[in-house]
Amino acid sequence: MGHAYSYRCDHCGFTESFNQGHGFLVHSQPVGDYLKQRTRIFHYKTHNLLRKMAQASDNLHLKAGFQIYKCPHCKTLYDKIEVTVFDDEAVVHKSEFRCRDCKTRLKLTNIHRLKRAICPRCRQRTFHRDYAQHELWDS
Ligand SMILES: [Zn+2]
Ligand SMILES: [Zn+2]
């Protein structure tokens, strides 16, 4: 189960919602099980990497879920499917994302503490949580 957080810009009215959490297809599982599925959920680069890693070890499992990221430079928000791969207990891979504008590495952000961000459309610091629009989603 996850949450959809809506943001709205006071300046230009732009709205966007960001997902955080786990869904039906995006959850914790052995890498072998993921690779047996017909649907490819993750980015193709992640998918190919998982396939390669699975050849080297059969002890891998992964955790995946939507996380909300922020560009430390532009202060704009993104939601991405973060994939972490474990070999036994050790983390052997973790997704990394870059800002589409400035290519800076995105940082995980705590949506509960984040009150305001920069609007991706008008670039004003008037992009904030719209509490009336909070939704829960399943699967
Ligand atoms: Zn705006
Ligand atoms: Zn940026």
Side-chain angles (χ1 to χ4, degrees):
M1 193 175 69
H3 298 264
Y5 297 95
S6 289
Y7 272 71
R8 187 172 191 286
C9 176
D10 278 345
H11 185 73
C12 72
F14 180 75
T15 57
E16 194 171 2
S17 70
F18 300 95
N19 295 315
Q20 186 171 49
H22 305 258
F24 176 62
L25 291 170
V26 184
H27 60 280
S28 186
Q29 61 187 310
V31 170
D33 288 6
Y34 166 76
L35 292 171
K36 270 182 242 154
Q37 286 172 177
R38 268 167 195 285
T39 38
R40 203 178 63 189
I41 307 153
F42 306 138
H43 192 269
Y44 78 95
K45 279 186 183 164
T46 306
H47 188 86
N48 291 344
L49 183 77
L50 288 173
R51 202 145 56 188
K52 220 163 148 191
M53 289 170 84
Q55 287 166 2
S57 167
D58 49 15
N59 229 345
L60 302 176
H61 65 107
L62 64 86
K63 275 188 193 156
F66 283 98
Q67 297 282 11
I68 300 167
Y69 292 84
K70 188 163 94 173
C71 172
H73 179 74
C74 309
K75 315 274 193 261
T76 45
L77 301 175
Y78 294 86
D79 59 353
K80 302 277 189 188
I81 298 173
E82 180 188 57
V83 182
T84 311
V85 183
F86 300 86
D87 191 345
D88 264 333
E89 298 294 300
V91 173
V92 288
H93 171 76
K94 200 169 183 140
S95 313
E96 274 185 22
F97 304 101
R98 287 183 188 275
C99 175
R100 76 173 90 89
D101 298 321
C102 71
K103 311 293 177 218
T104 300
R105 210 169 114 190
L106 301 179
K107 290 213 165 110
L108 262 179
T109 190
N110 183 342
I111 196 104
H112 300 288
R113 271 194 244 148
L114 184 86
K115 294 204 174 64
R116 249 185 264 205
I118 299 284
C119 172
R121 188 194 273 171
C122 70
R123 301 273 156 190
Q124 301 288 313
R125 204 182 157 75
T126 47
F127 201 48
H128 62 84
R129 273 279 288 283
D130 184 353
Y131 288 92
Q133 298 299 323
H134 186 191
E135 288 168 45
L136 285 173
W137 46 263
D138 256 316
S139 79

